[in-house]
């Protein structure tokens, strides 16, 4: 039995406005009481962070979807990690495949951002995963190894425990095609083994690793029952409180 926390993290992407955010937080506050290992995180669009931090209760943590690797300067349109920290944001998604695909994020920029986030005591949710071509050519493990090696370069043992990893196969994101429980677990076990090679087994056993890609209340339980999966990074199914609350209730039943 795993003693690691169970994380249900919602990535709202470029969806939900002020009214939806307020209603979501209100519904969650009324319906859910979390204690113990289950933690809930919502990552809204940046202009909503302040409102959500203000209205949330202790059951909910708030994360950003991106940040710059510097804390201030002439970078029009960017988000300062110092400001995120000041706002009371606790988590930040780094290296999501959509950022890598549409905004030229590389393993090197991801590495800089991970280090800065840790410096500001923000918990990074470090995303990695292969595309369909890589999966079909059996290049998944090699690809994940590079993403881990380059993304985590220079991050010390003491710091790596303060980050979380989200394994998100690109072919499963927003497509309705979830990886099977076995495939998701097998790949996450590989990630954990590689973390053991980098940081030692004791540390690798403590690192939180989430699965992401078309997770919903329908398939969450089977995923959470797997030995190496510690939660989910959820896009579409995190947008309404109904569906998000269902997932938290499922997570609470996991032993
Ligand atoms: P999805 O998105 O759940 O809508 O597939 C997951 C993600 O991109 O984090």
């Amino acid at each position: 039995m795993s003693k690691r926390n169970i994380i249900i993290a919602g990535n709202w992407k470029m969806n939900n406005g002020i009214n939806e955010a307020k209603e979501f937080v209100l519904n969650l506050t009324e319906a859910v009481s979390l204690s113990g290992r289950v933690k809930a995180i919502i990552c809204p669009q940046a202009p909503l962070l302040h409102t959500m931090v203000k209205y949330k209760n202790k059951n909910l943590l708030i994360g950003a979807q991106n940040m710059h690797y510097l804390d201030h300067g002439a970078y029009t349109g960017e988000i300062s990690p110092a400001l995120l920290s000041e706002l009371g944001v606790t988590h930040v998604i780094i290296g999501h495949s959509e950022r890598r695909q549409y905004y030229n994020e590389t393993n090197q920029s991801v590495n800089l951002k991970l280090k800065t986030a840790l410096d500001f005591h923000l918990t990074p949710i470090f995303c990695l995963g292969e595309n369909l071509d890589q999966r079909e050519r059996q290049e998944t493990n090699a690809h994940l190894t590079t993403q881990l090696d380059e993304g985590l370069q220079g991050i010390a043992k003491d710091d790596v425990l303060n980050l979380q990893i989200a394994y998100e196969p690109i072919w499963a994101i927003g497509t309705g095609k979830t990886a099977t429980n076995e495939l998701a677990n097998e790949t996450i076990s590989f990630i954990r083994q590689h973390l053991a090679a980098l940081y030692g087994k004791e540390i690798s056993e403590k690192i939180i690793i989430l699965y992401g890609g078309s997770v919903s209340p329908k398939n969450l339980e089977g995923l959470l029952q797997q030995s190496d999966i510690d939660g989910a990074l959820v896009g579409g199914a995190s947008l309404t409180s109904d569906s998000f609350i269902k997932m938290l209730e499922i997570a609470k039943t996991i032993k």
Side-chain angles (χ1 to χ4, degrees):
M1 189 172 64
S2 156
K3 296 217 171 54
R4 295 182 293 265
N5 282 340
I6 301 173
I7 311 291
I8 305 297
N11 173 12
W12 279 3
K13 308 190 181 184
M14 203 169 71
N15 299 294
N16 279 352
I18 297 177
N19 291 340
E20 287 92 346
K22 282 188 180 165
E23 195 186 310
F24 186 100
V25 171
L26 200 71
N27 291 346
L28 207 70
T29 307
E30 279 171 4
V32 184
S33 143
L34 293 181
S35 58
R37 288 163 64 211
V38 179
K39 311 282 173 211
I41 306 165
I42 287 290
C43 305
Q45 300 185 65
L48 285 176
L49 288 167
H50 182 61
T51 309
M52 290 198 72
V53 169
K54 199 163 136 199
Y55 285 97
K56 79 182 189 68
N57 78 348
K58 65 176 179 15
N59 287 325
L60 186 62
L61 298 163
I62 303 297
Q65 298 175 11
N66 179 37
M67 52 165 249
H68 199 282
Y69 58 82
L70 295 173
D71 64 352
H72 72 279
Y75 300 100
T76 303
E78 278 294 338
I79 300 168
S80 154
L83 181 56
L84 291 179
S85 194
E86 198 181 333
L87 280 172
V89 166
T90 52
H91 290 68
V92 57
I93 298 173
I94 303 281
H96 190 280
S97 59
E98 287 152 15
R99 302 278 328 159
R100 293 177 189 257
Q101 187 181 348
Y102 304 129
Y103 304 99
N104 305 321
E105 295 241 359
T106 62
N107 291 338
Q108 286 64 39
S109 63
V110 165
N111 175 248
L112 292 173
K113 289 182 180 196
L114 289 175
K115 288 179 182 161
T116 307
L118 291 165
D119 284 346
F120 280 92
H121 304 290
L122 295 161
T123 301
I125 303 176
F126 168 24
C127 298
L128 40 95
E130 80 288 1
N131 63 31
L132 189 56
D133 208 35
Q134 290 162 329
R135 170 62 66 183
E136 284 173 350
R137 289 167 189 256
Q138 303 192 341
E139 290 168 4
T140 300
N141 290 357
H143 179 69
L144 297 176
T145 299
T146 306
Q147 286 189 315
L148 286 166
D149 287 349
E150 295 184 0
L152 295 174
Q153 195 167 19
I155 295 178
K157 279 187 180 188
D158 289 348
D159 284 331
V160 79
L161 284 174
N162 296 324
L163 64 76
Q164 297 172 358
I165 291 178
Y167 165 60
E168 299 203 302
I170 296 170
W171 47 270
I173 295 177
T175 58
K177 277 192 216 158
T178 334
T180 60
N181 299 334
E182 292 71 28
L183 187 114
N185 196 51
E186 196 180 282
T187 314
I188 289 180
S189 303
F190 172 80
I191 292 172
R192 205 177 290 287
Q193 273 166 35
H194 193 66
L195 292 169
L198 295 174
Y199 294 102
K201 192 164 167 50
E202 200 184 327
I203 287 187
S204 74
E205 289 296 323
K206 290 186 185 153
I207 296 177
I208 299 278
I209 310 182
L210 314 179
Y211 168 79
S214 296
V215 175
S216 74
K218 289 203 180 93
N219 56 26
L220 179 68
E221 186 174 5
L223 289 161
L224 293 185
Q225 278 164 346
Q226 304 301 309
S227 58
D228 272 301
I229 303 181
D230 305 319
L233 181 57
V234 189
S238 73
L239 292 176
T240 62
S241 53
D242 246 24
S243 160
F244 194 71
I245 289 166
K246 273 189 202 138
M247 291 189 284
L248 293 176
E249 295 301 340
I250 291 167
K252 281 162 71 177
T253 67
I254 302 294
K255 296 280 176 272

